[in-house]
């Protein structure tokens, strides 16, 4: 344990220990290099050999380059006095464990909101093959402004190779009892291994061959939600005791969550217990899968409550009609929730090693995924007003049409305009935007479709959607400049979470990017769209380079080649037109390749 007042790395003065566990100790410290809000959190990780220290260095570099709204930013890492330290943004506020100790039981709505934020962060971490491995109420904090943070990801498993760890040896990351899955416990707890070995079961050997992965985090989040909803920590039903009972032919000691809280809907209870399956293949396989199920569960439950409240005051005939409408609405809302984005894109401006601070800005940044339940509209009493309003509109339209006919008859006949002859390989690519208005950082109104021709406000969130003209390869790069007025290119599509990381697309399927946000200086944002019948070499190399550098084309030579390719390609006939009724922009062109610059304006 380090003493308060100790100075680390020549700049951080320790103020107090704010946490400890299998991972090490966490301290609140003051960064003397800055004034004002200079509080940081420093995680101490003891390392016992050079191999572990080298692994830590590689992972720390990876963590430093991460950025997500529900994760504190890693700002520094260093090694001193035989230990390694990770410096992170300090998040004030209470963690969930404090309120649970006071006897609070979180509502279903509160728990789902927390789960959605945590899963948003997990999707992002998992996209870089980083697994948290210590999700618990203590590591989830709600700041003073109500923002939810997942803490302690600074000791997650990223580049650490578990195959190098001795069987039953102590991992530098450890685990937390009650919340850790069996595949994680067995790697760091010899007593659990010896207990289960006494059963002489083949399951044990299978677990020893499993590495911790996304499903391990899903188990821990399930245990956390179980605790939040029931206020009963699963301390009597750890993964080891549960496996011992089940593999011995005895009942699972984990009590059904509805026995601790009857208000938990059946569907949500089923989801929680699937998260807590002992065997990983029986759990949800990805954070995106779990997030989608929770949203569908929330939507169905919300629709059901509306229906129940209204039928209480309606006669039987009206109740039957309402039940039919509610079933249709429930299905529509569930589909809308399923269609909402569940995966964030790669960061648009990413800190790369040895890059100066001035090269880390861009006018766009990734944002939280669209979250929340859609409210069902209450039926309004019927009125005759729409009928009379329709008659008035019809009269006005008739008058305008009559005037137009009169003008046509009196106006001179225009000369015919020569049309461009249709090309044999004429093609058409369409794109559109789904836009979410924001007010004071919160969602305002429902998202709306846009052709991309409007002027958007700073802070608005948007998602680009494309329909390719034929089977081929599709790329989208965001162009920006840093403070030295050097061009930077960020890959928006594909990403590891979009189209499985592949640029190969098929028509007439629609493809979409992750969610982005207008930010930084107002003005014009440039997006380069590339479609080609065959795989374009430069674009594909840029994609591969961006995947290695968290979204940014970092190789200087390749960046120049990409710039030249964008400026010199796609010289064939190109014409764009907006279809207002369909909320799309159509790009007509000739040939087997297209390079098209999309301008989006924000003020």
């Amino acid at each position: 344990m380090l003493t308060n007042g100790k100075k680390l790395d020549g700049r951080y003065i320790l103020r107090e220990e704010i946490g400890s566990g299998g991972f090490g100790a966490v301290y609140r410290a003051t960064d003397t290099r800055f004034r004002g809000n200079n509080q940081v959190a420093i995680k101490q990780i003891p390392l016992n050999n050079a191999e572990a220290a080298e692994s830590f260095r590689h992972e720390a570099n990876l963590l430093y380059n991460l950025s997500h709204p529900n994760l504190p930013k890693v700002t520094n890492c260093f090694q001193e006095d035989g230990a390694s330290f990770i410096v992170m943004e300090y998040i004030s506020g209470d963690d969930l464990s404090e309120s649970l100790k006071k006897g609070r039981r979180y509502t279903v709505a509160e728990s789902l909101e927390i789960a959605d934020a945590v899963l948003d962060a997990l999707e992002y971490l998992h996209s870089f093959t980083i697994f948290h491995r210590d999700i618990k109420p203590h590591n989830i904090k709600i700041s003073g402004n109500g923002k939810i943070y997942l803490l302690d990801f600074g000791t997650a498993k990223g580049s650490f190779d578990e195959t190098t760890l001795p069987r039953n040896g102590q991992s530098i990351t450890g685990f937390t009892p009650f919340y850790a899955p069996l595949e994680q416990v067995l790697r760091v707890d010899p007593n659990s291994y010896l207990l289960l070995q006494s059963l002489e079961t083949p399951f044990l050997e299978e677990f020893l061959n499993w590495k911790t992965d996304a499903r391990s985090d899903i188990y821990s989040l399930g245990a956390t939600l179980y605790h939040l909803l029931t206020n009963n920590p699963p301390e009597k039903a750890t993964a080891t005791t549960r496996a011992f009972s089940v593999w011995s032919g005895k009942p699972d000691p984990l009590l059904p969550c509805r026995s601790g809280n009857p208000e938990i809907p059946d569907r949500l209870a089923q989801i929680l217990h699937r998260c807590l399956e002992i065997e990983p293949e029986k759990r949800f396989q990805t954070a995106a899968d779990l997030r989608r199920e929770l949203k569908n569960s929330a939507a169905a439950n919300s629709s059901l409550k509306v229906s129940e409240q209204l039928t209480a005051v309606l006669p039987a005939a009206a109740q039957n009609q309402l039940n039919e409408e509610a079933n249709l609405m429930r299905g529509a809302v569930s589909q809308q929730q399923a269609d909402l984005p569940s995966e964030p894109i790669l960061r648009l401006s990413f800190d790369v090693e040895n890059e100066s601070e001035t090269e880390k800005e861009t006018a766009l940044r990734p944002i939280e995924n669209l979250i929340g339940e859609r409210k069902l509209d209450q039926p309004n009493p019927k009125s005759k007003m729409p009928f009379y309003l329709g008659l008035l509109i019809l009269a006005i339209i008739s008058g305008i049409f009559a005037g137009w006919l009169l003008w046509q008859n009196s106006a001179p006949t225009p000369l015919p305009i020569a049309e461009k002859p249709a090309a044999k390989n004429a093609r058409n690519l369409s794109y559109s935007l789904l836009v979410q208005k924001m007010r004071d950082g919160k969602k305002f109104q429902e998202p709306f479709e846009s052709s991309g021709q409007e002027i958007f406000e700073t802070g608005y969130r948007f998602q680009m959607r494309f329909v390719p003209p034929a089977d081929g390869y599709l790329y989208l790069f965001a162009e920006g400049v840093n403070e030295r007025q050097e061009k930077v290119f960020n890959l928006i599509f594909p990403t590891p979470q979009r189209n499985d990381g592949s640029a190969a697309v098929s028509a007439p399927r629609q493809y979409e990017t992750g969610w982005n946000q207008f930010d930084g200086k107002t003005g014009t944002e440039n997006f380069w769209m590339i479609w080609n019948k065959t795989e374009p070499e430069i674009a594909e190399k840029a994609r591969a380079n961006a995947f290695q550098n968290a979204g940014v084309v970092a190789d200087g030579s390749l960046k120049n080649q990409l710039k030249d390719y964008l400026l010199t390609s796609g010289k064939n006939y190109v014409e764009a037109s907006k279809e207002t009724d369909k909320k799309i922009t159509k790009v007509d062109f000739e040939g087997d390749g297209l390079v098209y610059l999309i301008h989006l304006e924000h003020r």
Side-chain angles (χ1 to χ4, degrees):
M1 177 178 176
L2 302 176
T3 58
N4 293 343
K6 181 179 178 60
K7 198 170 190 178
L8 297 176
D9 199 33
R11 59 186 286 192
Y12 304 106
I13 299 179
L14 301 184
R15 298 303 182 188
E16 62 175 333
E17 182 179 328
I18 57 177
S20 62
F23 286 167
V26 183
Y27 299 88
R28 180 178 64 85
T30 301
D31 187 353
T32 59
R33 185 170 296 184
F34 300 101
R35 296 180 180 178
N37 185 18
N38 57 353
Q39 300 297 301
V40 297
I42 298 182
K43 186 61 176 276
Q44 178 189 22
I45 306 174
L47 301 178
N48 52 15
N49 57 61
E51 183 179 7
E54 181 65 16
S55 295
F56 167 82
R57 189 183 69 81
H58 286 299
E59 183 171 353
N61 287 333
L62 179 62
L63 296 174
Y64 177 79
N65 285 327
L66 297 179
S67 179
H68 188 276
N70 298 110
L71 297 173
K73 175 64 179 171
V74 172
T75 59
N76 194 13
C77 65
F78 58 93
Q79 296 180 358
E80 187 173 299
D81 297 332
S84 291
F85 300 87
I86 292 180
V87 183
M88 290 180 284
E89 173 188 5
Y90 175 73
I91 306 299
S92 61
D94 295 331
D95 62 62
L96 302 186
S97 65
E98 294 298 321
S99 56
L100 288 171
K101 290 177 183 178
K102 298 175 183 177
R104 178 176 177 181
R105 189 173 69 186
Y106 284 80
T107 66
V108 170
E110 290 171 332
S111 300
L112 290 176
E113 182 178 1
I114 291 168
D116 197 276
V118 172
L119 285 168
D120 193 357
L122 288 179
E123 287 180 53
Y124 179 75
L125 289 174
H126 293 172
S127 71
F128 297 98
T129 323
I130 297 176
F131 310 114
H132 190 283
R133 303 206 302 177
D134 197 24
I135 299 172
K136 57 185 177 182
H138 182 77
N139 282 337
I140 302 175
K141 181 174 284 190
I142 302 178
S143 65
N145 60 4
K147 191 171 182 179
I148 300 167
Y149 285 92
L150 176 61
L151 307 180
D152 228 6
F153 75 103
T155 50
K157 183 192 79 69
S159 58
F160 287 116
D161 183 0
E162 287 185 301
T163 60
T164 63
L165 299 177
R167 176 172 291 190
N168 305 314
Q170 179 65 35
S171 164
I172 67 168
T173 51
F175 74 100
T176 300
F178 320 142
Y179 303 98
L182 187 61
E183 66 269 19
Q184 183 177 349
V185 173
L186 289 176
R187 288 187 171 273
V188 294
D189 184 16
N191 292 329
S192 293
Y193 172 77
L194 293 175
L195 175 65
L196 296 177
Q197 190 182 38
S198 64
L199 295 176
E200 298 182 355
T201 171
F203 290 111
L204 182 59
E205 192 63 30
E206 294 181 13
F207 267 90
L208 291 176
N209 294 327
W210 267 319
K211 296 181 182 180
T212 52
D213 55 22
R215 300 170 298 182
S216 306
D217 283 345
I218 287 172
Y219 182 99
S220 297
L221 178 59
T224 298
L225 292 175
Y226 183 100
H227 194 175
L228 295 181
L229 287 164
T230 65
N231 201 18
N232 294 323
E235 56 187 13
K236 295 182 180 179
T238 65
T240 302
T241 57
R242 292 182 62 207
F244 186 84
S245 296
V246 173
W247 293 351
S248 301
K250 299 177 182 178
D252 190 335
L254 181 68
L255 298 176
C257 59
R258 296 193 80 249
S259 65
N261 182 0
E263 296 180 2
I264 300 175
D266 288 335
R267 185 172 179 180
L268 177 57
Q270 294 171 1
I271 292 173
L272 288 183
H273 286 285
R274 182 179 172 186
C275 293
L276 291 167
E277 287 282 356
I278 297 175
E279 299 174 29
E281 68 268 21
K282 293 183 179 180
R283 304 172 202 152
F284 292 96
Q285 299 300 290
T286 67
D289 292 340
L290 173 56
R291 195 174 187 208
R292 189 181 306 110
E293 284 298 313
L294 289 176
K295 285 182 178 180
N296 291 341
S297 171
N301 188 54
S302 175
S303 303
L304 180 62
K305 289 183 178 179
V306 172
S307 175
E308 290 173 345
Q309 291 171 358
L310 293 178
T311 55
V313 294
L314 291 177
Q319 285 183 14
N320 293 334
Q321 180 180 357
L322 179 62
N323 288 337
E324 294 179 2
E325 295 176 352
N327 288 333
L328 294 174
M329 294 167 70
R330 184 178 301 118
V333 171
S334 297
Q335 183 60 45
Q336 289 174 339
Q337 292 288 351
D339 290 340
L340 290 177
S342 61
E343 299 159 347
I345 64 167
L346 291 177
R347 188 179 171 197
L348 294 181
S349 178
F350 213 90
D351 303 340
V352 295
E353 191 172 358
N354 300 325
E355 185 180 30
S356 66
E357 292 296 327
T358 60
E359 295 177 335
K360 299 176 183 177
E361 294 186 359
T362 186
L364 296 169
R365 63 182 175 84
I367 51 86
E368 297 175 84
N369 294 337
L370 186 61
I371 305 170
E373 302 174 355
R374 299 176 182 267
K375 296 182 180 179
L376 299 177
D377 295 330
Q378 300 277 346
N380 293 322
K382 292 185 177 180
S383 171
K384 295 182 179 180
M385 181 60 70
F387 174 75
Y388 296 116
L389 182 60
L391 288 179
L392 177 60
I393 294 173
L394 181 61
I396 294 173
I397 293 175
S398 299
I400 294 174
F401 182 68
W404 179 80
L405 287 177
L406 181 62
W407 176 81
Q408 283 287 86
N409 292 332
S410 61
T413 303
L415 294 174
I417 300 176
E419 295 184 358
K420 183 182 184 299
K424 294 182 180 180
N425 58 344
R427 301 187 186 278
N428 171 268
L429 183 150
S430 64
Y431 71 90
S432 64
L433 271 69
L434 182 63
V435 181
Q436 171 66 62
K437 293 183 178 181
M438 304 295 292
R439 290 290 185 272
D440 299 324
K442 297 181 180 179
K443 299 174 187 65
F444 177 72
Q445 300 179 347
E446 292 295 320
F448 64 93
E449 296 282 348
S450 168
S451 63
Q453 306 300 314
E454 295 87 348
I455 297 178
F456 307 101
E457 291 186 15
T458 297
Y460 278 15
R461 300 173 179 180
F462 67 97
Q463 180 186 60
M464 280 195 177
R465 299 176 171 185
F466 306 86
V467 178
D471 294 354
Y473 297 84
L474 180 67
Y475 306 80
L476 184 66
F477 292 89
E479 175 188 331
V481 294
N482 55 34
E483 290 185 354
R484 296 188 298 189
Q485 299 305 304
E486 297 172 332
K487 283 187 181 297
V488 292
F489 293 99
N490 296 275
L491 181 65
I492 309 303
F493 183 91
T495 68
Q497 296 172 320
R498 296 285 164 173
N499 204 35
D500 294 328
S502 172
V505 294
S506 303
R509 176 184 165 188
Q510 176 177 280
Y511 296 83
E512 58 192 26
T513 70
W515 284 82
N516 305 277
Q517 179 167 314
F518 290 108
D519 206 350
K521 296 180 180 179
T522 60
T524 303
E525 311 296 348
N526 295 331
F527 295 84
W528 288 96
M529 177 172 58
I530 302 171
W531 177 86
N532 211 290
K533 185 70 175 176
T534 58
E535 185 180 86
E537 181 181 0
I538 298 300
E540 183 58 20
K541 286 183 177 179
R543 181 202 65 81
N545 184 260
F547 274 26
Q548 296 174 358
N549 296 279
V552 64
V553 181
D555 183 283
S557 174
L558 183 58
K559 182 171 64 174
N560 290 332
Q561 294 179 49
L562 177 63
K563 180 171 62 175
D564 293 338
Y565 173 81
L566 295 174
L567 294 176
T568 58
S569 300
K571 295 298 185 180
N572 293 335
Y573 168 80
V574 177
E575 184 179 63
S577 60
K578 174 184 176 182
E579 294 191 3
T580 306
D581 56 335
K582 296 181 180 180
K583 305 294 184 183
I584 63 173
T585 295
K586 292 176 59 179
V587 182
D588 297 308
F589 65 100
E590 297 175 358
D592 292 335
L594 170 69
V595 175
Y596 182 74
L597 179 58
I598 301 174
H599 296 292
L600 296 182
E601 303 285 341
H602 75 105
R603 60 188 179 188

